[in-house]
Amino acid sequence: MCTINMAIATSIPKSGSVECCYSAGPCHGHNFHNHAQCDACPCCRDTCDNANSCISCQKKRNATTMPRMHESSSNLLALLSSICSGESPENNNAQNTYTMCQLKRHNHAESAWILVGDTIYDATPYIRSHPGGTETILRKSGGAADCTEDMRFHSGRAQREWRKFKVGTLVACPRQSSS
């Protein structure tokens, strides 16, 4: 079982227990939110599809956003440094990491992310114009399959084009790590 970040746990109202408020099951007797509709992973930064109205996911999002503010200033410095030194800033999104829990939410025509090894790409811009059809991308989006072989099938030009659509890198969810 995973442990919950204390910054997240301490931001939950006293009327509920941490275990209940972060479980995928229904909350029992709490009047501060309807958690029965929340299917977010309790162990990572995953938020449910109702994150704007789900108090648990809002708390989680706020707790994980605060430390990232510091990261953004260091990312800016790294980007400026790379520009000044003449390096290519194309990997300025390398700091973005996502768990499989988060990746699984991007499996539809409005947001189709694909996994190539441990790299995540946004295929949404190509989904409607892909020669193989929309379904070829949707079938493997959201981490449903590793698209490494599919990527090798494409031309070198197409592979270079994909680099522009890198979203981030896949990391293990603490829930899977502790299993």
Side-chain angles (χ1 to χ4, degrees):
M1 202 60 170
C2 62
T3 56
I4 295 173
N5 181 324
M6 285 312 294
I8 296 169
T10 57
S11 64
I12 296 173
K14 297 286 185 210
S15 59
S17 70
V18 173
E19 286 180 6
C20 178
C21 294
Y22 281 92
S23 69
C27 265
H28 303 287
H30 303 333
N31 59 7
F32 58 87
H33 68 286
N34 180 4
H35 194 70
Q37 296 175 347
C38 181
D39 61 352
C41 174
C43 302
C44 68
R45 294 186 320 250
D46 181 40
T47 55
C48 71
D49 293 333
N50 300 318
N52 292 332
S53 60
C54 176
I55 291 174
S56 295
C57 288
Q58 288 175 4
K59 301 282 185 185
K60 188 189 289 192
R61 189 179 285 165
N62 290 342
T64 58
T65 302
M66 299 264 284
R68 288 179 159 247
M69 288 179 187
H70 302 293
E71 289 176 16
S72 64
S73 62
S74 64
N75 289 345
L76 178 61
L77 289 173
L79 177 61
L80 290 173
S81 173
S82 70
I83 292 170
C84 293
S85 66
E87 296 173 14
S88 171
E90 71 181 29
N91 289 330
N92 63 353
N93 60 359
Q95 299 293 323
N96 297 331
T97 58
Y98 299 90
T99 63
M100 187 59 80
C101 307
Q102 294 170 296
L103 177 59
K104 285 180 181 178
R105 296 192 181 278
H106 299 274
N107 64 350
H108 49 86
E110 289 76 38
S111 183
W113 290 5
I114 60 167
L115 182 63
V116 178
D118 66 349
T119 304
I120 302 167
Y121 296 95
D122 185 357
T124 312
Y126 290 106
I127 203 160
R128 301 220 192 297
S129 61
H130 188 268
T134 302
E135 280 304 310
T136 58
I137 292 177
L138 288 180
R139 199 175 21 247
K140 296 186 178 187
S141 68
D146 185 333
C147 298
T148 301
E149 288 302 315
D150 300 285
M151 187 64 80
R152 288 185 190 138
F153 169 79
H154 289 86
S155 69
R157 181 175 164 251
Q159 290 180 34
R160 285 187 299 278
E161 187 71 22
W162 272 110
R163 291 186 192 132
K164 297 176 189 174
F165 296 96
K166 179 180 177 184
V167 174
T169 305
L170 185 70
V171 294
C173 170
R175 177 183 277 175
Q176 281 103 17
S177 299
S178 65
S179 300

